Amino acid sequence: MAAVVLAATRLLRGSRAWGRSRLRFRALGDRQFSSGGAYPSVPLSAPLPGVPTPVFATADGQEKFETKVTTLDNGLRVASQSKFGQFCTVGVLINSGSRYEAKYLSGIAHFLEKLAFSSTDRFDSKDSILLTLEKHGGICDCQASRDTTMYAVSADSKGLDTVVGLLADVVLHPRLTEEEIEMARMAVQFELEDLSMRPDPEPLLTEMIHEAAYRENTVGLHRFCPAENIAKIDRDVLHSYLRNYYTPDRMVLAGVGIEHDHLVECARKYLLGPAPFPELTHIMIGLESCSFLEADFIPFAVLNMMMGGGGSFSAGGPGKGMFTRLYLNVLNRHHWMYNATAYHHSYEDTGLLCIHASADPRQVREMVEIITKEFILMGGTVDVVELERAKTQLMSMLMMNLEARPVIFEDVGRQVLATRSRKLPHELCALIRDVRPEDIRRVASKMLRGKPAVAALGDLSDLPSYEHIQAALSSRDGRLPRTYRLFR
């Protein structure tokens, strides 16, 4: 009985509320509305005064839906599709991808996808690119599949010139700095780990069915970078791939929502030119150092860290190599040098300290002389500050690398294999701290008394002879013997 009374009370409350709302509705219905405070006399069927005339989409004929294609002199195809609207989508599509990696380490296309829209010759960073696109309301994306790599931008049509110029820079002139490549390594590693943990097996099954159907050939090659190749893919490998596959005859510049003639004009301006990746001449000069069983191994390791170096587009501050000799004396002073890097290879019975340098073929002789001078300077004065910086950097790298289990495993195995025991990290750090300037001069002077090993790739027409390189390394200043030719 109480429940019935309660329900009846609720119904009565509801009916009274409905009655109040009905009264409010009637009161509102009695009000008179105008068409607007600013324009009370303008009917809704007429345009408001002072407002721009709207532009509406029209279908004027079948030609509006046709895709126009133009082929430029260098083989690049320009394709466009008309579409009404304020925004356009423009991109470069390339015949490249995992199926073309038969001659290379598999996983390069995966890396390039992660490196897309990073720093270029004109843009210092990815942020600079994104800020440029932001001015035109733009967004960007890159996708690499088995047979196509696609760089695309959607932006306001008025910014077409800027967008095509940016795309040309991103595709043809990427810097591929060491920092960017290392970030790509981390991104690829994360994606592989994420792929293996996904509950959805479709991506892995797709990979497997391609491998099974095509016997690990062409489109059956891995689309994702195998874990064992992540550390192997470097700037030289990436540039080699780009030179072979990022060529105009393998590209299409496509656009939707823009005038075809305007797109062709932009293509001629930014994408019709010389080969984007210059053919460089590479040289490596090496001198015998010592085995890792000798006491001088530590001073040589510090010397190698002092020399440092890297690519001409590497960036960073203290601790990233910008204060090493090859940066200060070579890359910062000679803008035409593409690379100058020191390496130290040490084995149970010998060792090799070498410098790799790259430049335009026309400047090979000057490049070689710059490197021979750096070798001679190794046996000269050693600044205490640069020595302490090199030792600190070497210890930091040692301790950081030994945080990874695979590195510890390799260190334990290699040391015990070679010496039947293992020096602990703090023992190695103590040996590094004990290195003095005179130790560096002593090992460098001893090294410079040996005969050099020379390796070179590329156009070698201006490469000095081995005898001249040897003479430069035996001289006091590292200069090559002067040669005079009546005819070149």
Side-chain angles (χ1 to χ4, degrees):
M1 182 68 180
V4 173
V5 172
L6 182 61
T9 306
R10 285 176 180 167
L11 284 171
L12 288 172
R13 286 176 181 172
S15 64
R16 285 197 294 271
W18 180 84
R20 286 196 298 270
S21 66
R22 184 170 56 179
L23 290 172
R24 281 200 301 270
F25 176 76
R26 286 175 179 168
L28 289 172
D30 295 337
R31 290 179 61 185
Q32 299 295 319
F33 288 92
S34 68
S35 60
Y39 305 102
S41 60
V42 179
L44 294 177
S45 58
L48 295 176
V51 177
T53 304
V55 179
F56 298 100
T58 58
D60 297 334
Q62 185 64 30
E63 67 275 2
K64 287 287 184 180
F65 304 97
E66 293 178 358
T67 298
K68 296 182 180 180
V69 180
T70 300
T71 303
L72 303 187
D73 295 340
N74 62 354
L76 175 77
R77 285 155 289 174
V78 182
S80 72
Q81 170 71 56
S82 179
K83 182 174 174 61
F84 180 80
Q86 178 184 352
F87 285 82
C88 66
T89 298
V90 188
V92 176
L93 292 90
I94 309 157
N95 268 337
S96 71
S98 58
R99 72 169 299 163
Y100 299 104
E101 294 174 357
K103 298 188 302 181
Y104 292 86
L105 290 166
S106 60
I108 295 175
H110 192 188
F111 258 75
L112 290 173
E113 180 185 75
K114 303 304 176 190
L115 287 162
F117 295 96
S118 296
S119 64
T120 70
D121 286 356
R122 279 200 304 133
F123 298 95
D124 292 334
S125 65
K126 190 164 192 166
D127 287 343
S128 178
I129 290 174
L130 296 178
L131 285 171
T132 301
L133 288 176
E134 195 175 279
K135 294 174 184 176
H136 302 282
I139 57 173
C140 60
D141 185 31
C142 177
Q143 296 179 10
S145 63
R146 286 182 162 80
D147 55 359
T148 307
T149 303
M150 178 184 70
Y151 298 78
V153 171
S154 291
D156 193 308
S157 302
K158 295 176 182 177
L160 180 65
D161 189 273
T162 300
V163 166
V164 175
L166 185 148
L167 279 167
D169 244 37
V170 165
V171 175
L172 301 180
H173 306 285
R175 285 182 171 179
L176 303 181
T177 67
E178 292 301 327
E179 288 77 14
E180 289 168 347
I181 293 173
E182 190 57 40
M183 290 295 291
R185 286 195 181 103
M186 290 166 38
V188 168
Q189 180 71 46
F190 174 80
E191 189 166 337
L192 292 180
E193 292 173 359
D194 178 66
L195 197 65
S196 63
M197 292 188 292
R198 283 184 189 174
D200 178 16
E202 192 272 336
L204 286 177
L205 284 174
T206 301
E207 286 294 297
M208 293 166 68
I209 196 66
H210 276 80
E211 291 177 24
Y214 299 100
R215 308 258 180 132
E216 299 184 14
N217 190 19
T218 60
V219 290
L221 294 173
H222 291 285
R223 188 169 74 86
F224 299 103
C225 179
E228 63 270 18
N229 288 353
I230 292 176
K232 298 176 184 176
I233 294 176
D234 57 18
R235 194 166 183 257
D236 290 338
V237 171
L238 293 170
H239 268 305
S240 176
Y241 182 88
L242 291 173
R243 277 194 297 269
N244 278 319
Y245 293 112
Y246 278 42
T247 56
D249 58 299
R250 300 174 65 89
M251 295 181 183
V252 171
L253 174 66
V256 176
I258 46 185
E259 291 293 328
H260 183 73
D261 291 342
H262 190 188
L263 184 60
V264 171
E265 180 187 340
C266 292
R268 293 186 189 279
K269 181 177 179 181
Y270 295 108
L271 291 160
L272 185 62
F277 300 101
E279 292 292 339
L280 303 177
T281 295
H282 304 269
I283 185 167
M284 186 172 281
I285 300 175
L287 289 167
E288 187 176 16
S289 57
C290 70
S291 84
F292 55 69
L293 298 176
E294 298 179 46
D296 284 343
F297 170 70
I298 298 296
F300 268 115
V302 175
L303 174 60
N304 178 61
M305 193 61 64
M306 277 175 52
M307 300 307 297
S312 58
F313 297 119
S314 296
K320 293 188 178 178
M322 295 300 283
F323 289 96
T324 59
R325 287 191 178 187
L326 290 180
Y327 270 111
L328 294 174
N329 301 342
V330 179
L331 294 172
N332 288 355
R333 297 183 182 181
H334 307 285
H335 63 89
W336 46 267
M337 293 275 282
Y338 280 77
N339 183 45
T341 311
Y343 299 94
H344 186 219
H345 308 283
S346 194
Y347 307 96
E348 189 173 348
D349 53 352
T350 185
L352 188 68
L353 192 146
C354 46
I355 296 178
H356 164 219
S358 306
D360 186 278
R362 293 167 296 181
Q363 292 170 301
V364 169
R365 183 178 178 84
E366 187 177 356
M367 172 177 67
V368 171
E369 187 169 78
I370 289 168
I371 299 307
T372 54
K373 287 179 180 178
E374 287 305 310
F375 269 110
I376 296 299
L377 289 172
M378 290 182 193
T381 303
V382 178
D383 183 73
V384 175
V385 174
E386 71 167 343
L387 178 61
E388 289 304 314
R389 182 183 292 118
K391 292 195 293 185
T392 301
Q393 191 172 354
L394 181 58
M395 288 187 287
S396 299
M397 288 180 60
L398 173 68
M399 301 306 291
M400 181 178 66
N401 289 334
L402 287 174
E403 289 182 0
R405 189 189 304 109
V407 178
I408 298 173
F409 154 77
E410 184 178 353
D411 182 58
V412 170
R414 283 184 175 275
Q415 285 203 50
V416 173
L417 185 66
T419 66
R420 299 183 182 275
S421 63
R422 181 190 179 221
K423 280 189 172 65
L424 295 175
H426 71 271
E427 296 178 88
L428 293 172
C429 287
L431 294 172
I432 293 170
R433 290 191 195 94
D434 289 340
V435 174
R436 300 289 178 261
E438 52 268 25
D439 296 323
I440 300 296
R441 289 196 300 269
R442 174 176 52 78
V443 297
S445 299
K446 179 183 177 183
M447 178 183 66
L448 288 167
R449 291 196 290 269
K451 290 185 177 181
V454 180
L457 287 171
D459 184 349
L460 309 179
S461 54
D462 286 338
L463 180 69
S465 67
Y466 175 83
E467 289 74 21
H468 282 185
I469 295 174
Q470 186 177 14
L473 290 170
S474 302
S475 67
R476 297 181 60 182
D477 55 7
R479 290 183 179 276
L480 291 165
R482 298 299 97 187
T483 57
Y484 302 95
R485 287 182 282 178
L486 294 175
F487 305 100
R488 293 186 63 87

